[in-house]
Amino acid sequence: MGLFDMFKGDNTRNENGMNPHFAFATSLLYMMGADGEYDNEEIGQLLAVLGGKSKGGTVYIGANNDDLMEKAIKYVQRNSLDQFLKEAAPALTDAQKMCILVNIIDSSLSDGDAEREEQEMFGKFLNAFDISEERFKPFFEVIVLKNDRAVFLDQNHAKNKPGFKVELSK
């Protein structure tokens, strides 16, 4: 087994036909559409995570993931978030749940801040995955830091003050 074999797809399915890779892609789509629009930053995040490119307003996911995205889009169009979470949660390991949470919060923050609808949806994911806000907080802090480009644009930013040290909450 090579070092990068861990990034290969997961074809395991539960009794509902749900598999972790499908749940991952579908989660991203639900979060992207939470506020009723698909922002360029969110599409860029999806392409970065699943692989692909955008050309002239058309998104090309890539040969390996075209079928996955087609199925995920159809699923999102036909099923409520609550139904999805009910099917997905039992099909996922703790690590898969945390990976999904990190990626969907990153997607929601990619355009600057999370809209109210995105925040509410994220809360539903936390609840369905049985992950407390307290447990997720250090991951959230890293994603907020990653997306805080103001530290480069504003020399008076609080995090640029002499002596300020970035640390995770305990």
Side-chain angles (χ1 to χ4, degrees), residues 153-170:
L153 304 173
D154 179 4
Q155 289 306 311
N156 294 319
H157 191 290
K159 293 177 181 172
N160 289 334
K161 300 289 183 199
F164 180 84
K165 194 176 201 177
V166 175
E167 296 182 301
L168 295 177
S169 63
K170 302 204 186 304

Side-chain angles (χ1 to χ4, degrees), residues 93-108:
T93 66
D94 185 69
Q96 292 164 341
K97 290 174 184 176
M98 292 300 282
C99 181
I100 287 172
L101 291 170
V102 167
N103 277 278
I104 64 173
I105 200 67
D106 192 24
S107 177
S108 73

Side-chain angles (χ1 to χ4, degrees), residues 4-169:
F4 292 94
D5 287 347
M6 69 179 79
F7 292 102
K8 290 184 179 174
D10 184 344
N11 293 322
T12 59
R13 296 184 184 278
N14 72 6
E15 64 278 356
N16 295 323
M18 185 68 61
N19 76 51
H21 198 219
F22 177 79
F24 177 56
T26 306
S27 296
L28 287 164
L29 288 175
Y30 275 110
M31 184 56 77
M32 287 173 59
D35 60 0
E37 57 188 39
Y38 293 90
D39 297 324
N40 288 334
E41 295 86 358
E42 292 169 329
I43 292 170
Q45 180 73 16
L46 177 69
L47 294 173
V49 172
L50 294 179
K53 58 187 174 196
S54 177
K55 206 188 284 186
T58 303
V59 176
Y60 301 93
I61 299 297
N64 294 340
N65 291 319
D66 277 344
D67 187 49
L68 171 70
M69 284 309 300
E70 185 177 322
K71 289 177 182 173
I73 289 167
K74 286 179 182 175
Y75 184 95
V76 168
Q77 291 171 339
R78 294 181 186 147
N79 295 279
S80 69
L81 174 66
D82 292 335
Q83 178 62 34
F84 166 71
L85 291 171
K86 193 164 106 176
E87 292 177 22
L92 301 169
T93 66
D94 185 69
Q96 292 164 341
K97 290 174 184 176
M98 292 300 282
C99 181
I100 287 172
L101 291 170
V102 167
N103 277 278
I104 64 173
I105 200 67
D106 192 24
S107 177
S108 73
L109 292 170
S110 65
D111 62 353
D113 64 347
E115 304 292 334
R116 181 184 49 79
E117 298 89 351
E118 292 169 325
Q119 292 175 34
E120 289 172 2
M121 184 176 287
F122 188 76
K124 287 184 175 189
F125 272 89
L126 282 174
N127 192 34
F129 290 174
D130 198 27
I131 307 289
S132 69
E133 283 188 21
E134 181 181 330
R135 178 176 173 211
F136 192 76
K137 188 176 181 180
F139 299 92
F140 182 79
E141 290 173 0
V142 169
I143 298 300
V144 168
L145 176 65
K146 173 196 172 277
N147 289 301
D148 186 4
R149 312 286 189 315
V151 296
F152 299 107
L153 304 173
D154 179 4
Q155 289 306 311
N156 294 319
H157 191 290
K159 293 177 181 172
N160 289 334
K161 300 289 183 199
F164 180 84
K165 194 176 201 177
V166 175
E167 296 182 301
L168 295 177
S169 63

